[in-house]
Amino acid sequence: MTDTAPAQAVSSEELLHYYREMLLIRRFEEKAGQLYGMGLIGGFCHLYIGQEAVVVGVQAALKDGDSVITSYRDHGHMLACGMEAKGVMAELTGRIGGYSKGKGGSMHMFSQEKNFFGGHGIVGGQVPLGTGLAFAHKYSNDGGVAAVYCGDGAINQGQVYESFNMAALWKLPVLFIIENNKYAMGTSQERASAGELHQRGAAYGIPGYQVNGMDVLEVKAAADQWVPHIRGGNGPVILEMKTYRYRGHSMSDPAKYRTKEEVEKMRSESDPIDQLKAKILSGNHADEDKLKEIDREVKAIVTESAEFAQQSPEPDPSELWTDILV
């Protein structure tokens, strides 16, 4: 199944909100890339540049109390969940002001307050955990939905299918979102995965749909259609978001498995922020001055986060012995 509801009319306020959220993620990730290049961020760092429409569109359809869990390409999800840029950037630089007190880094950040449960470095490892979050929502009867993100590379992991089976068997309130950016680590999806990814739940009776993950309004429309269906006790749904990352798999990846022309073509023809900007201007929802004002606000937030991340102290050595389950 590939059909989802057409994008509905949205207000100027909503359009500007989506524009701001996507721009915040883009500018934040650009700054994180700069800090990594300066040696201020170490370890692994996976940027979300190009994929902003996916998480912003899905998040717009969720409610307070819903749970979110994802893989290691997670900074955008944190910001979309309402986590502060300062705390996220400070975690990237390994400082005490970070969401995990500087001990988690890029791949391991959490916010119980925002119901964001990570950031997980094990490929596909977040899918059974997210299914458990959905079980908790059903068990407590709180009306919540778990949004569980994974990439096209994770979809071939065995634990993903065990999760699909349990979610379908128990009609758990879970939205499985496959962020198909075409390249997993360095192998194209066409060479690594047989069949259509959104159909991977068919054996369990899980409906699956393909969505243009480069258009925030199409993502929002699909999420608006299926999140209430899931919340109504009808069990899980899979949405395969056809998206694209402009940078390498991580900061250490030169991405020589694809051409510069391919990346440039995606940037020039399908960029989610540019597409929304064009719709805002052509529909007279705002003028260039308003969009420039939003960009200035976002840049100020990101600049402040970078300064905070560099000024925040490193964790005291005694922190090695905290937050440990014995």
Side-chain angles (χ1 to χ4, degrees):
M1 292 179 282
T2 58
D3 295 329
T4 55
Q8 302 296 311
V10 290
S11 68
S12 299
E13 185 181 3
E14 287 175 294
L15 290 171
L16 291 174
H17 172 71
Y18 304 152
Y19 182 77
R20 183 188 182 280
E21 290 293 289
M22 289 196 294
L23 198 60
L24 174 61
I25 295 170
R26 176 72 58 90
R27 297 289 182 246
F28 182 94
E29 293 291 64
E30 289 169 348
K31 179 62 74 173
Q34 290 175 10
L35 294 184
Y36 193 96
M38 293 164 62
L40 293 169
I41 295 173
F44 290 101
C45 186
H46 307 78
L47 301 182
Y48 201 62
I49 296 174
Q51 299 183 213
E52 297 90 351
V54 176
V55 72
V56 171
V58 171
Q59 196 63 32
L62 299 180
K63 295 180 179 178
D64 288 344
D66 291 341
S67 302
V68 175
I69 192 168
T70 189
S71 66
Y72 38 74
R73 196 178 308 283
D74 53 5
H75 314 152
H77 302 73
M78 298 169 193
L79 295 172
C81 285
M83 293 167 65
E84 287 193 16
K86 290 194 299 185
V88 178
M89 195 71 87
E91 188 59 41
L92 294 182
T93 57
R95 306 303 177 96
I96 194 71
Y99 270 97
S100 295
K101 301 179 184 177
K103 296 186 286 186
S106 173
M107 297 194 287
H108 303 287
M109 271 181 265
F110 302 81
S111 173
Q112 190 171 357
E113 178 194 2
K114 299 296 183 182
N115 280 342
F116 180 80
F117 292 91
H120 292 270
I122 302 300
V123 176
Q126 74 278 12
V127 179
L129 295 174
T131 305
L133 292 170
F135 181 82
H137 284 305
K138 180 161 186 172
Y139 187 81
S140 61
N141 195 30
D142 61 11
V145 168
V148 180
Y149 294 83
C150 71
D152 50 292
I155 202 64
N156 295 317
Q157 294 288 327
Q159 58 196 330
V160 172
Y161 300 95
E162 295 179 62
S163 301
F164 285 174
N165 181 59
M166 285 187 284
L169 195 63
W170 299 333
K171 287 190 181 301
L172 299 183
V174 53
L175 176 63
F176 294 110
I177 302 129
I178 305 168
E179 298 195 78
N180 182 0
N181 62 26
K182 293 182 69 173
Y183 285 102
M185 288 183 70
T187 305
S188 69
Q189 182 231 319
E190 288 84 357
R191 291 177 56 214
S193 300
E196 296 285 357
L197 302 190
H198 65 281
Q199 295 175 347
R200 290 295 184 90
Y204 312 99
I206 302 176
Y209 302 90
Q210 251 179 11
V211 182
N212 177 9
M214 301 299 277
D215 187 324
V216 70
L217 299 183
E218 290 191 32
V219 175
K220 171 68 162 51
D224 275 343
Q225 181 178 1
W226 292 109
V227 169
H229 171 88
I230 295 166
R231 207 183 297 279
N234 297 296
V237 171
I238 294 170
L239 293 181
E240 178 195 357
M241 303 291 179
K242 301 283 280 186
T243 185
Y244 198 82
R245 57 171 164 78
Y246 299 159
R247 301 290 186 93
H249 170 69
S250 68
M251 288 297 294
S252 59
D253 172 21
K256 293 183 178 179
Y257 41 80
R258 59 186 183 181
T259 64
K260 290 181 180 178
E261 289 76 18
E262 178 186 306
V263 179
E264 194 50 48
K265 180 177 170 65
M266 289 297 294
R267 270 188 179 272
S268 61
E269 296 179 5
S270 302
D271 185 81
I273 297 174
D274 288 347
Q275 285 190 87
L276 185 60
K277 180 179 180 179
K279 287 174 183 172
I280 289 170
L281 293 173
S282 65
N284 294 317
H285 298 285
D287 57 18
E288 283 278 6
D289 288 341
K290 178 62 178 177
L291 298 184
K292 287 178 181 177
E293 179 188 331
I294 292 172
D295 198 12
R296 285 194 296 272
E297 290 173 5
V298 163
K299 284 179 177 175
I301 291 169
V302 171
T303 298
E304 183 188 20
S305 75
E307 291 171 354
F308 177 79
Q310 294 172 73
Q311 293 166 3
S312 181
E314 293 189 352
D316 188 85
S318 64
E319 281 291 337
L320 284 169
W321 309 108
T322 63
D323 305 312
I324 297 171
L325 182 65
V326 177

